[in-house]
Amino acid sequence: MSVLGGQLRVLRGSSSREAVAAYERAMEVVSGMAARPVDIDLEIAWGISTIHLVRGDIQAAAESSSRLLSEASERHRGDISVLALRVHGTARLLGGSVSEAIRLFEDATSRYDRGMHGEFQRRLVSDPGPVTFAHLATAYAVAGNAEAARARRKQALHLASEPRHAHTSANVLGVLTISAVHMGETGIAAALARGCREVATRQGFKYWIARS
């Protein structure tokens, strides 16, 4: 069910009723299992946190991602910690805590390892490295640090291009569009938005089609 939830997030969007139902059912099933795959509940909890975020329930996203971060740390799951830091950082950014968001994103990018985390693009929809760098670029843009924002944008685009993965690309291009808008780079923002829309339309990513 958690795999189904991930695929529904890609095709229907993270706030879709189908995705929410799949993740909730997955957590229900896992909670009742005597023996379960190691730490699968953490991956499901991450999925639920992202759903709160996309739905605009920022407080719930901040609270659930904070719990997930603590749990991942206690279980020594550095891979899940990177995911939790990104969601928590995004929740803080949307809640107006820009400096805190930057700290969380920087922490996440410092822990990122392509060999360890790259396979998340298969299991959990997107590669967290380039996506987190894109969010960090946006946070720096909001903070008024254009130099740092452009440097993180370059890193995000580089990581997203090797290897190229459709949903990671759409995610990165969509988030970086917002960063460019905050810096007043209208031409770059338009190009990024077009790129996001082209990938999303080709793959049928409804959420990113709407975002672009």
Side-chain angles (χ1 to χ4, degrees), residues 134-177:
H135 281 283
L136 181 56
T138 300
Y140 274 123
V142 172
N145 190 337
E147 182 178 356
R150 293 187 184 105
R152 301 313 186 277
R153 177 171 69 198
K154 183 177 180 179
Q155 289 172 293
L157 291 170
H158 173 71
L159 286 171
S161 68
E162 298 179 353
R164 195 173 300 279
H165 176 259
H167 196 267
T168 299
S169 296
N171 198 333
V172 166
L173 292 169
V175 173
L176 288 177
T177 299

Side-chain angles (χ1 to χ4, degrees), residues 57-169:
D57 193 346
I58 307 306
Q59 185 62 34
E63 291 172 356
S64 60
S65 58
S66 180
R67 288 194 299 270
L68 177 59
L69 185 57
S70 297
E71 192 71 23
S73 179
E74 288 175 12
R75 299 192 204 178
H76 305 290
R77 286 295 304 270
D79 53 346
I80 299 295
S81 293
V82 169
L83 299 173
L85 284 164
R86 181 182 54 90
V87 177
H88 198 49
T90 305
R92 292 303 185 195
L93 179 62
L94 294 175
S97 300
V98 181
S99 296
E100 176 68 3
I102 289 172
R103 185 189 68 78
L104 291 163
F105 290 143
E106 289 284 14
D107 190 1
T109 56
S110 71
R111 300 184 190 205
Y112 174 71
D113 177 88
R114 171 54 66 83
M116 179 189 298
H117 301 107
E119 58 97 20
F120 275 154
Q121 63 189 21
R122 176 181 59 82
R123 284 167 42 214
L124 300 176
V125 182
S126 292
D127 185 331
V131 173
T132 304
F133 272 110
H135 281 283
L136 181 56
T138 300
Y140 274 123
V142 172
N145 190 337
E147 182 178 356
R150 293 187 184 105
R152 301 313 186 277
R153 177 171 69 198
K154 183 177 180 179
Q155 289 172 293
L157 291 170
H158 173 71
L159 286 171
S161 68
E162 298 179 353
R164 195 173 300 279
H165 176 259
H167 196 267
T168 299
S169 296

